[in-house]
Amino acid sequence: MSASARLTELGIKLPDVVQPLAAYVPAVRTGNLVYTAGQLPMVAGSLIQAGKVGAEVAPEDGKALARVCALNALAAVHSLVGIDSVTRVVKVVGFVASATGFNGQPGVINGASELFGEVFGDAGAHARSAVGVSELPLDAPVEVEVIFEVA
């Protein structure tokens, strides 16, 4: 089943590509790889929640926000090469703005990883890093960047 058909089956509509906040582009292709810029949990041009995970943002909410970031990454790759060109999710790097003492970053970034599994099946299994950081742009709780292999 194609990724676009799977998205339809899941009831997911890709959002518009998030416009860059600075001097970069949403995604770049080199050879058979597409690298996305870091994607924030933006919807319709606005950050949907701010704060640190483990303080103002509950870990479960952080996980949902990571899923939004992953959807924005899919929109970025789709705008460049088309979602059905993706043959594999290679690597996910997730950054979690973490309150002091919060160490549940892997669970938060599962929000992105699980979405890729839903959309791409076995081709959605990927290498990953989940990193706690003190601050992210716009006081975002989470940021996700992805490397996709494409046909």
Side-chain angles (χ1 to χ4, degrees), residues 63 66-67 104-116 128 130:
K63 182 178 179 181
R67 183 179 177 95
Q105 294 83 7
V108 171
I109 301 306
N110 277 348
S113 295
E114 291 169 4
L115 175 72
F116 296 137
R128 188 179 88 177

Side-chain angles (χ1 to χ4, degrees), residues 4 10 17-18 21 25 47 53 55 57 59 66 68 75 81-82 91 93 96 122 124 131 133 138 144 150:
S4 57
L10 292 167
V17 177
V18 176
L21 301 175
V25 295
L47 187 70
V53 178
V57 179
V68 173
V81 299
K91 175 92 188 255
V93 180
V96 180
D122 290 343
V131 182
V133 298
L138 304 179
V144 173
V150 296

